[in-house]
Amino acid sequence: DADVTQTPRNRITKTGKRIMLECSQTKGHDRMYWYRQDPGLGLQLIYYSFDVKDINKGEISDGYSVSRQAQAKFSLSLESAIPNQTALYFCATSDRSGSYNEQFFGPGTRLTVL
Amino acid sequence: RKEVEQDPGPFNVPEGATVAFNCTYSNSASQSFFWYRQDCRKEPKLLMSVYSSGNEDGRFTAQLNRASQYISLLIRDSKLSDSATYLCVVTAGGKLIFGQGTELSVKP
């Protein structure tokens, strides 16, 4: 079984709809992250959480919110989806004590907003 | 200016070729450096860390020049399976900052 899982893997929705992307991990890591990737661009950090009570905005948090329900779960919400939020979304985890901050990524969620 | 800049490519090389990718970063306080590999819109995976003294892992060699804020990746004896996008990554405040990636295509 994968260590970092994301659901759904693909989603097509309409402008204005509320969408939740979920991430679960079995690695026992404290730190979790949400990124989006657009064609030709690197991964951009949306939100990150260093533990259950810690939530931080990344470089592109506008239009998104997150919830860290447990150490193993970190969900990303789009309250009112818009077409320019069409992208590939990745969740990642890291261990605070891990060497060199290696991050482990989930398989991604491909979101299309019509 | 982007915090981490890479030539997007694509680099099209024959099997067996040696290819080098370069990357520059703007934050002089960055402490850790990595190359990640991403296959065809799948999740990125760590290829190797980059150490100040330079380091090698099989056919892959990474170099770091802190003074010039420059990182490189050299791939020797390219294989078809090396075809992927290579992401240059630096740390800042406990977070990873990704370059846009360099696409490599190895042809038979």
Side-chain angles (χ1 to χ4, degrees):
Chain A
D1 287 340
D3 294 322
V4 185
T5 57
Q6 293 183 232
T7 55
R9 294 294 311 280
N10 290 283
R11 181 72 184 268
I12 299 174
T13 191
K14 294 182 178 179
T15 297
K17 294 292 188 182
R18 183 178 187 273
I19 297 297
M20 180 180 286
L21 309 183
E22 306 212 23
C23 176
S24 295
Q25 52 114 346
T26 58
K27 299 187 76 67
H29 288 169
D30 291 316
R31 301 182 175 190
M32 298 187 74
Y33 311 81
W34 274 105
Y35 295 90
R36 67 175 279 174
Q37 186 175 36
D38 298 273
L41 298 179
L43 278 77
Q44 296 176 275
L45 184 62
I46 306 172
Y47 270 95
Y48 62 102
S49 169
F50 282 176
D51 65 44
V52 175
K53 297 179 181 178
D54 176 75
I55 300 289
N56 303 282
K57 292 183 177 180
E59 50 189 314
I60 54 160
S61 59
D62 288 348
Y64 301 95
S65 62
V66 291
S67 173
R68 185 81 186 267
Q69 300 95 323
Q71 186 201 39
K73 295 184 182 296
F74 192 35
S75 59
L76 176 72
S77 294
L78 288 68
E79 296 300 326
S80 180
I82 56 176
N84 76 1
Q85 291 177 312
T86 293
L88 184 56
Y89 289 84
F90 288 106
C91 173
T93 74
S94 69
D95 183 353
R96 81 174 78 186
S97 62
S99 60
Y100 302 104
N101 299 301
E102 179 181 359
Q103 292 188 8
F104 299 85
F105 286 80
T109 295
R110 190 172 299 278
L111 177 66
T112 302
V113 184
L114 302 176
Chain B
R1 182 186 172 193
K2 294 179 182 176
E3 288 193 68
V4 180
E5 297 206 54
Q6 298 179 246
D7 180 347
F11 285 61
N12 296 303
V13 303
E15 267 188 296
T18 296
V19 61
F21 305 139
N22 302 319
C23 167
T24 58
Y25 61 96
S26 61
N27 187 345
S28 59
S30 294
Q31 292 294 317
S32 301
F33 309 89
F34 311 91
W35 285 100
Y36 275 69
R37 170 187 168 136
Q38 186 175 24
D39 291 293
C40 197
R41 304 293 273 173
K42 293 189 176 179
E43 71 272 25
K45 293 184 180 179
L46 180 66
L47 176 67
M48 60 194 302
S49 299
V50 186
Y51 306 138
S52 295
S53 55
N55 50 296
E56 189 173 304
D57 183 1
R59 298 181 293 107
F60 299 83
T61 300
Q63 297 279 354
L64 168 64
N65 184 321
R66 286 186 184 269
S68 301
Q69 295 179 203
Y70 171 95
I71 305 163
S72 65
L73 177 68
L74 182 77
I75 305 175
R76 291 182 300 278
D77 188 23
S78 300
K79 311 292 185 189
L80 297 177
S81 57
D82 293 334
S83 296
T85 297
Y86 291 83
L87 305 172
C88 176
V89 185
V90 306
T91 59
K95 305 185 297 292
L96 299 186
I97 309 297
F98 288 79
Q100 75 268 41
T102 298
E103 184 183 346
L104 172 65
S105 179
V106 182
K107 306 292 188 185

